Amino acid sequence: MSKAIISSICLLLVVFVPVIDGRIARLGDGANGGVDCAVCSIVLGLVDKLSIVYNTSIVNSLERLCSILPGEYKVYCKVAVDFLGPYIVDGFIKGDNPDVICHSLKLCHDTPGQPKCRIYPTNSGISIPERAKNLRERHPLVNLLLMKSKICDFPGIKEICKILENVFNNHLPLVDLDHDKFGVETTLRGSSWRGKDCDDASAKVHPGARVANSDSIIDHNCNGIFGMDSATGLAWEDKFCNDSQRLGIAVLGDSISAHFHIPEQWLDAREFSEAAFEHLGFILENELDWPQMSASTGHVNVSWPNIEGPVRSLYSRLFELDHCNHRDYQNIAVNGARSGAMLDIMKSLSRDPQNDVPLLVIYSLVGNDVCNGHPDTFDHMTTVEEMRQNVYNALERLDTVLPKGSHVVTTGLANGSMLYDLLHNHIHPFGRVGVPLTYPQMYDYLSCLQISPCNGWLTSNATLRDLTTQHAVALSAAVRNASLSYQSRNYDIDYLDFPFDAVIQEWVAQGGQPWQIIESVDGFHINQYGHALVSDVLWAWLQKEKPHWLPSVNPHNADIERVFKDQGGY
Ligand SMILES: *[C@@H]1O[C@H](CO)[C@@H](O)[C@H](O)[C@H]1NC(C)=O
Ligand SMILES: *[C@@H]1O[C@H](CO)[C@@H](O)[C@H](O)[C@H]1NC(C)=O
Ligand SMILES: *[C@@H]1O[C@H](CO)[C@@H](O)[C@H](O)[C@H]1NC(C)=O
Ligand SMILES: *[C@@H]1O[C@H](CO)[C@@H](O)[C@H](O)[C@H]1NC(C)=O
Ligand SMILES: *[C@@H]1O[C@H](CO)[C@@H](O)[C@H](O)[C@H]1NC(C)=O
Ligand SMILES: *[C@@H]1O[C@H](CO)[C@@H](O)[C@H](O)[C@H]1NC(C)=O
């Protein structure tokens, strides 16, 4: 069962991550059971749907779930199923739906005087709390454990929660011996996020470093170009990179910049397979983000069944212009980040004003300052003055770390009203088997549990959506104001409205439907196609408005490929 548990925990990360600024610690926030209730109901919903798809018993579905999982997850899954399996099976056999079973496990509850949260249509007859009580009373042993009633206290699931907590609370490379904030691993804030370190024993050696001693022996900047050309006696770095104008890229952002993506196959029972979960560990260790394929720092094509679409990024364009920029990227984006938290998060940006080359920084927080799951959502939004101050403080901090000649682009918030417009009459992947579930039904369910990633935008209340967009517009103006009034010393700066409109227009011009660029599972982020388009639009803007920021083409690119092949890869 735990594959489904994990997938649902994943789904719910979308949910509580924005609410709690990227910290997983408060698992269980919300009302009427909150995250725990939603995880339980969605997982059991999947079990139910699996038995429909494969025309097998619930027992078989539970076993199928565990057997598909990789490594340690399989073990924990079995522990959980051994413990809860008979209980769950008994529930389903007696005709109870996931809402009932999760109430009986005390993970969901009804609060008097408040709306009741149900993901399945209620069958007539006996009430859910009553059915739940009956089920519980048939299983005295499980009943004993239910004194605790937190999902992370359950056998097997406890271990999975621990893994997730470790990953989601850390935003520096886990393995980084020289503490230069660049690591050699891929996941856990390693090279998926920041160029790979080519010497993890020396802090002087890292992507973006200035060349020292012509890199004739040591590859200080990790761009894969070093050593001497014995034919001419010149250092390769001098020969190929002397005349080029080096520029790295960094993004300070939220889950959009980090490229949050939950594979659709994890929630659509028809697409469950071993292949769909093969890379589960990797995906979780990257916090369900895909920075290696994002609009700003994308640098690899991944051919897993979990993701589809082209990779085009600002980084790969800087690399195309000049291969000397190889590996000089940093994705400092955290799911759920808002402008206040960014002041802390940005401390993990690594740049030395003297010893590193200039950087192009994209500061882009597109929604969390207006998005939260509270019923009184407006009271929990960042105010205009706070926003202005937070951006101003971030710009001041950048002045202390950026080398002279750097550039900064800030963006405004996205117009989240579009999400509802694009998706409201589509079926959510979870509802493609069995009882259909539309996006508005999913939104209402999450709102009811007070764990919506964005009450203001993911709602069928048009007034609420409009008011939220109005506040987003005001906050964008504050970002613009701070950006244009700040007197920077080491970089030049400009502001850009988040180009959601332009991206949609471009996609439509290519023959697409606007909803196709939104993530299907969360209905809240842009997907791989959207990322490639965002990068196209930003690059076109830079070329048109800031041509002097962009390096010129390095005439030695072909030579670099000839001598250094893939420059050490990523
Ligand atoms: C499902 O399985 C049952 C019993 O094994 C069988 O009688 C039934 O025809 C199957 N239904 C489908 C649609 O395959
Ligand atoms: C490259 O620049 C270095 C340092 O400025 C200089 O010593 C060297 O002669 C230059 N080499 C070439 C080939 O231009
Ligand atoms: C990804 O694949 C496409 C098409 O094969 C190619 O043009 C592109 O350069 C690749 N991108 C990266 C980052 O490898
Ligand atoms: C936001 O998008 C909606 C359509 O989805 C549109 O009606 C509204 O005018 C837009 N608001 C702004 C400020 O762009
Ligand atoms: C819609 O949202 C607005 C603004 O929060 C609120 O005043 C109104 O009562 C809501 N309407 C419904 C039907 O809930
Ligand atoms: C920023 O806002 C202040 C106060 O409203 C105003 O005086 C100033 O002109 C604005 N600056 C810019 C660049 O918009």
Side-chain angles (χ1 to χ4, degrees):
M1 151 166 95
S2 103
K3 173 170 78 200
I5 292 230
I6 295 167
S7 47
S8 306
I9 288 181
C10 296
L11 164 72
L12 291 150
L13 287 174
V14 192
V15 165
F16 59 76
V17 164
V19 176
I20 59 180
D21 273 351
R23 312 275 143 173
I24 200 175
R26 277 189 272 153
L27 194 80
D29 266 2
N32 304 315
V35 171
D36 283 2
C37 173
V39 169
C40 177
S41 309
I42 291 170
V43 169
L44 294 187
L46 279 170
V47 171
D48 185 26
K49 287 160 196 283
L50 274 178
S51 67
I52 299 174
V53 171
Y54 294 99
N55 191 23
T56 59
S57 64
I58 293 289
V59 181
N60 283 342
S61 294
L62 286 170
E63 277 168 6
R64 181 182 293 270
L65 282 170
C66 284
S67 68
I68 281 173
L69 285 181
E72 56 187 342
Y73 297 100
K74 190 191 308 249
V75 179
Y76 299 136
C77 177
K78 292 212 162 106
V79 173
V81 164
D82 284 348
F83 180 72
L84 286 175
Y87 185 89
I88 292 166
V89 170
D90 181 41
F92 276 117
I93 286 174
K94 298 270 174 1
D96 292 333
N97 68 24
D99 286 317
V100 174
I101 300 175
C102 296
H103 270 77
S104 79
L105 289 170
K106 298 194 180 168
L107 296 173
C108 303
H109 50 82
D110 293 344
T111 308
Q114 282 189 24
K116 299 181 181 15
C117 314
R118 308 279 186 259
I119 197 165
Y120 273 46
T122 316
N123 336 16
S124 54
I126 319 169
S127 78
I128 284 190
E130 204 163 326
R131 292 190 78 117
K133 188 159 152 277
N134 292 342
L135 174 56
R136 206 156 45 226
E137 282 170 357
R138 295 201 295 275
H139 297 265
L141 266 180
V142 174
N143 203 359
L144 245 162
L145 181 104
L146 296 179
M147 302 302 290
K148 294 188 188 165
S149 77
K150 283 261 131 214
I151 206 162
C152 284
D153 293 332
F154 283 33
I157 304 172
K158 188 190 292 175
E159 287 73 16
I160 292 169
C161 289
K162 270 200 205 116
I163 299 176
L164 294 178
E165 232 168 272
N166 276 337
V167 171
F168 284 81
N169 284 335
N170 263 313
H171 305 302
L172 282 172
L174 187 74
V175 184
D176 175 19
L177 303 178
D178 56 10
H179 303 293
D180 60 2
K181 299 179 184 161
F182 294 91
V184 292
E185 303 279 327
T186 308
T187 57
L188 300 167
R189 295 275 160 178
S191 65
S192 289
W193 303 82
R194 302 146 181 267
K196 184 168 163 186
D197 202 344
C198 54
D199 180 356
D200 205 18
S202 166
K204 282 196 182 137
V205 177
H206 56 256
R210 281 190 192 281
V211 172
N213 302 323
S214 302
D215 279 11
S216 55
I217 299 170
I218 297 170
D219 185 13
H220 289 91
N221 53 20
C222 296
N223 68 0
I225 302 167
F226 64 104
M228 306 286 288
D229 175 10
S230 53
T232 62
L234 280 177
W236 291 114
E237 183 93 37
D238 283 346
K239 201 170 166 188
F240 293 158
C241 302
N242 244 26
D243 300 326
S244 71
Q245 176 199 343
R246 296 274 316 278
L247 187 65
I249 176 136
V251 62
L252 303 174
D254 49 28
S255 53
I256 297 277
S257 298
H259 191 354
F260 189 92
H261 163 71
I262 296 177
E264 193 175 284
Q265 300 97 335
W266 294 4
L267 280 172
D268 182 341
R270 293 170 315 180
E271 298 186 52
F272 261 63
S273 70
E274 214 161 307
F277 286 88
E278 188 186 341
H279 303 286
L280 177 71
F282 185 103
I283 296 169
L284 290 179
E285 285 173 5
N286 268 348
E287 304 164 39
L288 296 163
D289 295 323
W290 304 66
Q292 71 277 31
M293 300 171 79
S294 67
S296 51
T297 61
H299 54 273
V300 284
N301 286 317
V302 174
S303 59
W304 301 348
N306 307 100
I307 192 157
E308 178 193 304
V311 179
R312 297 193 297 273
S313 72
L314 299 182
Y315 164 75
S316 63
R317 286 167 157 115
L318 287 173
F319 170 79
E320 284 310 319
L321 285 181
D322 183 355
H323 288 5
C324 299
N325 289 320
H326 181 62
R327 286 194 186 157
D328 195 359
Y329 58 87
Q330 298 183 54
N331 190 306
I332 312 295
V334 172
N335 299 335
R338 49 201 288 176
S339 58
M342 182 46 73
L343 294 171
D344 200 39
I345 294 166
M346 69 187 291
K347 291 179 187 154
S348 67
L349 174 72
S350 170
R351 211 67 175 179
D352 183 310
Q354 268 75 48
N355 300 312
D356 291 342
V357 299
L359 193 64
L360 168 61
V361 177
I362 314 286
Y363 177 101
S364 182
L365 295 169
V366 303
N368 296 307
D369 286 279
V370 299
C371 285
N372 60 71
H374 298 280
D376 49 350
T377 184
F378 291 105
D379 295 345
H380 297 266
M381 292 180 186
T382 305
T383 66
V384 169
E385 185 44 34
E386 284 166 348
M387 191 78 190
R388 206 192 61 79
Q389 196 60 51
N390 288 339
V391 174
Y392 199 88
N393 292 350
L395 295 177
E396 272 186 326
R397 195 181 157 78
L398 282 178
D399 243 337
T400 67
V401 296
L402 294 186
K404 266 209 183 331
S406 295
H407 314 287
V408 175
V409 184
T410 58
T411 80
L413 282 73
N415 177 357
S417 286
M418 292 186 182
L419 297 169
Y420 185 90
D421 286 355
L422 296 180
L423 291 175
H424 71 276
N425 48 21
H426 288 262
I427 300 286
H428 190 273
F430 180 77
R432 289 184 195 154
V433 173
V435 185
L437 182 79
T438 62
Y439 281 91
Q441 284 169 328
M442 182 60 115
Y443 299 156
D444 288 347
Y445 178 64
L446 298 178
S447 285
C448 180
L449 294 171
Q450 295 182 21
I451 56 172
S452 169
C454 197
N455 264 344
W457 277 330
L458 307 184
T459 169
S460 31
N461 181 335
T463 314
L464 185 50
R465 293 198 305 270
D466 286 348
L467 289 173
T468 303
T469 295
Q470 271 175 35
H471 192 61
V473 168
L475 293 189
S476 295
V479 176
R480 184 174 184 281
N481 184 295
S483 306
L484 301 187
S485 54
Y486 178 70
Q487 304 282 321
S488 53
R489 295 184 302 280
N490 290 322
Y491 54 84
D492 42 15
I493 179 169
D494 206 350
Y495 166 88
L496 171 71
D497 280 328
F498 186 79
F500 204 1
D501 275 325
V503 162
I504 289 179
Q505 275 167 26
E506 181 60 34
W507 181 242
V508 170
Q510 293 174 19
Q513 301 280 328
W515 61 268
Q516 292 167 328
I517 60 169
I518 308 295
E519 275 288 322
S520 63
V521 169
D522 59 55
F524 191 55
H525 297 95
I526 46 172
N527 64 18
Q528 189 63 50
Y529 293 96
H531 271 266
L533 290 163
V534 166
S535 124
D536 296 343
V537 170
L538 288 179
W539 189 253
W541 181 83
L542 286 166
Q543 283 182 315
K544 178 154 179 283
E545 306 292 332
K546 307 286 165 193
H548 52 293
W549 286 11
L550 300 178
S552 44
V553 176
N554 185 343
H556 297 295
N557 284 339
D559 297 328
I560 293 171
E561 283 172 34
R562 182 174 45 80
V563 177
F564 295 101
K565 309 288 183 273
D566 74 350
Q567 299 177 256
Y570 293 95

